Amino acid sequence: MRISIEWLKEFVDVKEGTSALADMLSMLGFEAEVVHDFSLLSKIVIGKVVTAQKHPNADRLKLCTVNDGTDTLSVVCGAPNVDAGQTIAFARVGAVLPGDFVISKAKIRGQESRGMICSERELGISDEHDGIMVLPNTLKVGRPIHPHLDKMYSSLEIDLTPNRPDGFSHYGIAREIALKTRRKLNDISVKTSNAKSKNIHKIAKVTIDDAKDCPRYMGAVLNNVTVGPSPDWMVDRLKAAGQRSINNLVDISNYVLLEMGHPTHIFDYDKISSNTITIRRVKNDKTITTLDEEKRKLSKQQLLITDGKKPIALAGIMGGLESAVQDKTTTVFVESAYFDPVAIRKGSKELGLLTEASRRFERGADVHAAETALWRVINLLQEFAGGELVPGIIDEYPGKFKSINISMRRSELDLFAGCAISDKEVKIILDGLEIKFEKKKEYWKCTPPSFRPDLEREADVIEEIIRVYGYDNIPSSTKYASSYVVDHPDPEQPLEDLRNLFSAFGYQECQSNTLQSKQWTTIHGKKSIPMMNPLTEHMTHMRTDLLPGLLEAVDFNIKNGSTDLYLFELGNVFIQQKKGLSGIKEIPMICGLVYGDRVSLSAHEQAKPTSLFTIMGHMDRLCKSFGENAPTYELVEAQGYQKAFAVSVEKEELGMVGTIDNTFVENLGLEIDNTIHCFSLEINKLMPLLRHKQLFAPINVYPIVERDIDFVFPEQAETGVVSQKILQQNFPNLTEVFPIDIFRHKSVGDEQKSVTFHFRFQHPDKTLEDKEVSSVINKIKRLVLSEFDAKLRSSN
């Protein structure tokens, strides 16, 4: 939200400079930045247009002479509103405008131009560029422009947290400044007249279907209004706050919104077909055309303002086009209400329509401010639009506001603050926060004001005391201590170990969005969980797999020049196994993929591409690093894979490895040409491995005895199965078995292959003798020959 410094001064005496004020508000929890620094506008002065004549060589240009206080200069200007006698912002030759645009002397259509007459956009004030900026004639020619601009248009950009709706206005920010500086806060003054008259009830009536949706609705009717331009001071204030002037009626509503933070709406009374305003949910209504001329589909989430039959506005979000004020409007109905924050937020999100009104209502507006806002609009309409109030106002208030009491204990305040804040200081702060309180012996009984819906419990009030007292006033501690229970270590530590392990393998961790499109979440045939109020069409369902997010990262990296990738992600997936919330299963997973080369081409070696065996090797190293045997792989059918294998350890299936099908990638809408290999493991099944205690084993100093044996197998025999079978026999002193060479040739036989297995033997307490190794080798030969239909080719 943009806050005008000049506007703030109406409510509080602002003595600080713009930067100092931004720092103060940031320390109060309202992150603030200076929008404009007009002091940088050097060589831009207040000028006077002496003459303005048609350019001799161009229809749309004017040849002007400008007095800059020291000289009269010739300037070519294309603005249609430039005229003699105007006071203007003049950029001399050498001036630097926002965007580093340097003004230089030039010839335009044969005429010399020695400077520029500036528009608001060229000065960085607004986007207005249809004409030059015309200044008050009271300004002295030749003076620098920045003091005037500082006074009129200096502003701050405030980044508000969702829990502070009271800061969504100039008055709200002024309240915070007055609170911190302990200066007087000037109230918003309104004049009320004939408020209790019944005349209005003869021409207007309000009914509310559900008091929860609309606890309070107020209205008034004014006759004989005249639609026209707003006064200059209002236009300037709106401009400084980032708003464009439209007409006096619309500007008045916007002005009150920015001034005190409470949304109002002005209807053309003559376009309301009945004299009844009804606030209700959508029933059989299909669509409504809103003020932005968009036709919007309605659903049960929306709360409507109707004329008793058809909708004329989206309650708390935006008015309808049919009931909008026009140039010929003479009678208006002014609305000021309080709507349920949840109802407004749901309706706004489903429509994808976020407005200044919905921002405030969904955070929780002030139910008591509805009356002040209504009278403020009435007063301004009377003063600047000539409106005549029909005596009386409508005030339907079925959901009366109930204040809450919060006990704030002295002991808790001292504990949270870490220092002693005196009772006197607490009293001043509570008074400034407009929190009513009663001091008891050991606590304060506090009643928060209606404009602070975020104050719900003791910790909230304590936080306010500390915030206003000043975090910089709390002394820093130089001693820090904490307790650590050895019996209950960090349950997430095994996951950190897993991250470190994959980082050691060369992987980089990714974090993708848990919300994806319906197509992505159902591409595996799994049932996904839809969001009630999706932010975009690409974030409508909760993810059912980590792989699409990783593939999107691969696609992005390839398009940005990175072609060799090892990526992994650790996160949760969500499956709708049964109906209802209880049927949603959340599964922690780790998924990774490899793409491109595992060894890059260099002067020393050839490039080596990744393969499925790269992934399998990482799975082997993963299991061995946690003291387990190498995993087994079983070929399975899986959607989205060219080839897939189930990964198991000790007959417990952990997940899957495989090569991704190119069609699967294309269906995701991604452009990845080369092959991708991946793994996907369930964390819950990995946890026993991750928590496995690794015992210390001394280094074996005795020599290793190695042997190689060549077997001839049928082509379909799997070497991994052979290795596992041998290791399962627990032959004495045998430590490792793995294949080192596969040979296929007609000399071996059709549909046959020769595989060389490497065996390592080592005794923990002595040097092995040849006969001890040979006896085991003979047993291995008999086992392999009998179990795998193999033949012995040769041995060493």
Side-chain angles (χ1 to χ4, degrees), residues 171 312 781:
Y171 188 75
I312 58 174
K781 290 177 181 178

Side-chain angles (χ1 to χ4, degrees), residues 241-254:
Q243 290 281 340
R244 181 172 60 89
S245 175
I246 298 173
N247 60 49
N248 54 350
L249 269 61
V250 176
D251 289 354
I252 285 169
S253 183
N254 288 337

Side-chain angles (χ1 to χ4, degrees), residues 529-684:
I529 303 154
M531 301 298 295
M532 288 184 64
N533 299 299
L535 295 175
T536 71
E537 60 182 5
H538 302 295
M539 300 168 64
T540 58
H541 289 67
M542 302 191 77
R543 67 184 177 190
T544 56
D545 193 354
L546 299 180
L547 188 55
L550 287 174
L551 290 172
E552 185 179 30
V554 171
D555 180 74
F556 177 83
N557 276 272
I558 291 172
K559 290 175 179 176
N560 286 275
S562 298
T563 55
D564 301 327
L565 301 166
Y566 279 38
L567 304 177
F568 83 95
E569 180 170 6
L570 200 157
N572 295 348
V573 299
F574 308 86
I575 310 293
Q576 186 78 59
Q577 293 187 330
K578 299 177 183 177
K579 291 183 178 181
L581 291 174
S582 59
I584 297 174
K585 187 174 183 182
E586 185 174 355
I587 308 170
M589 301 286 293
I590 183 169
C591 182
L593 55 79
V594 294
Y595 176 86
D597 293 335
R598 60 185 177 87
V599 177
S600 299
L601 176 66
S602 70
H604 304 288
E605 57 185 327
Q606 295 294 317
K608 297 179 181 178
T610 57
S611 67
L612 185 55
F613 294 107
T614 308
I615 292 285
M616 289 180 169
H618 294 157
M619 295 300 100
D620 289 357
R621 290 166 64 188
L622 172 67
C623 294
K624 288 179 181 178
S625 66
F626 292 111
E628 297 292 332
N629 293 327
T632 58
Y633 303 95
E634 182 180 352
L635 187 65
V636 293
E637 291 289 333
Q639 190 173 351
Y641 290 85
Q642 290 180 11
K643 183 178 285 188
F645 295 86
V647 185
S648 301
V649 173
E650 302 295 339
K651 298 183 180 180
E652 175 71 28
E653 186 175 318
L654 304 180
M656 186 183 300
V657 300
T659 302
I660 299 172
D661 193 336
N662 290 337
T663 305
F664 176 78
V665 177
E666 291 171 4
N667 290 339
L668 291 173
L670 304 176
E671 300 175 0
I672 305 173
D673 296 330
N674 295 334
T675 305
I676 300 177
H677 311 283
C678 69
F679 67 86
S680 183
L681 308 174
E682 284 194 38
I683 295 296
N684 291 338

Side-chain angles (χ1 to χ4, degrees), residues 480-494:
Y480 301 94
S482 62
S483 59
Y484 180 77
V485 182
V486 179
D487 294 340
H488 301 283
D490 182 5
E492 297 291 317
Q493 184 58 45

